[in-house]
Amino acid sequence: MKLLMMTDLHLVAPGAEMAGVDPRVGVELCLADMQRWHGDAALCVIAGDLTDRGEVDAYRWLADRLTAFTLPVQLMMGNHDDREAMAAALPQVERDANGFLQSMRETEEGVLLFLDTYKGPTSEGAFCELRRAWLAERLESVRGRPVWIFMHHPPFPIGHTFMDRIRLDETDALALGQLLSAHDNIRHIFTGHVHRAVQTIWHGIPATCLPGTSHIMAMKRRTHGLAYPTGRPMYGIVLIEGERTTVHFETVPEEPAGQPELAAP
């Protein structure tokens, strides 16, 4: 099974800019590249911060753009999103019984769980008791089957001073870790939020953070809050086969259609 993943689009209303750039450009490049080379993917996950300011017009632009995208899409929310505006413009987004944008998708390889870590109005994430109860019920129902978890905020520190201040709430992260540790079928955790390509192991579970399509958070001494445009955006390609989960970070060329094909080495 092949999954695609992009995150942190930070879209603004058409005609506006975010930090001096049009974030739609990176989104367009990624979607076009995915469509051209990965039409065999089972799903494209867009893991939160779809917009920068929660504007309805930004969500509407994404909704219109996705009508021409032929792959199935799973939309998630992040700290820059707005639940009501997102639901209004993107009615395909699923809610749980408590109104959180959480869902479960079953596949031939196993189960995909999509979590809502929005806390607002703050950049920090939350995963409260109600959301953990929803997750606990789903995990109990799929015991023995492989599970992959997707969430916007990482529940673990990544060693980046600025981003570690605004990860998942520490108390919620501790409770989530205890919950996941009680299950031996969690194969991988995927997150966005940090605007960097990061890999780690948390509670024995492999975890990957994907960079955003809009901007990168620099990893430099004394400048951990420094952000700069991506230039060439990146998305993830996740290959799942049996016991193996492989993650590729795909950098998108500025003109995907014009790149030469090289002979095999």
Side-chain angles (χ1 to χ4, degrees), residues 186-209:
I186 313 299
R187 291 288 179 80
H188 211 102
I189 298 171
F190 293 94
T191 87
H193 188 56
V194 300
H195 291 260
R196 296 187 58 79
V198 180
Q199 293 185 312
T200 189
I201 296 176
W202 182 65
H203 289 279
I205 304 168
T208 300
C209 306

Side-chain angles (χ1 to χ4, degrees), residues 37-178:
W37 299 109
H38 302 290
D40 58 338
L43 182 68
C44 175
V45 180
I46 307 181
D49 279 2
L50 308 184
T51 69
D52 192 59
R53 304 160 196 158
E55 299 166 301
V56 173
D57 285 347
Y59 289 117
R60 285 175 178 157
W61 179 87
L62 180 60
D64 290 343
R65 178 59 184 82
L66 290 177
T67 59
F69 188 64
T70 60
L71 296 175
V73 175
Q74 179 76 39
L75 297 170
M76 300 172 61
M77 75 173 303
N79 50 288
H80 279 263
D81 289 310
D82 180 278
R83 278 201 189 96
E84 299 311 315
M86 185 172 165
L90 298 160
Q92 68 268 42
V93 177
E94 296 179 57
R95 290 177 180 257
D96 67 13
N98 294 299
F100 296 113
L101 304 186
Q102 304 197 129
S103 61
M104 180 173 80
R105 185 182 290 252
E106 299 196 41
T107 75
E108 291 184 1
E109 293 287 346
V111 177
L112 312 179
L113 291 170
F114 305 96
L115 310 185
D116 179 338
T117 60
Y118 178 77
K119 183 176 183 178
T122 178
S123 294
E124 184 185 49
F127 199 64
C128 63
E129 188 174 352
L130 286 174
R131 283 174 273 193
R132 292 197 300 274
W134 178 92
L135 177 59
E137 290 178 4
R138 269 84 198 148
L139 289 175
E140 193 60 37
S141 71
V142 297
R143 276 192 180 273
R145 298 184 61 192
V147 172
W148 292 265
I149 290 179
F150 297 80
M151 53 199 299
H152 182 72
H153 293 82
F156 42 77
I158 63 168
H160 188 291
T161 305
F162 179 77
M163 297 310 298
D164 284 347
R165 293 195 204 110
I166 56 172
R167 65 185 179 95
L168 194 71
D169 172 86
E170 190 168 350
T171 300
D172 289 351
L174 178 62
L176 175 62
Q178 292 172 342

Side-chain angles (χ1 to χ4, degrees), residues 5 27 44 91 103 123 184 219 263:
M5 183 175 173
V27 175
C44 175
S103 61
S123 294
D184 61 3
M219 185 74 168

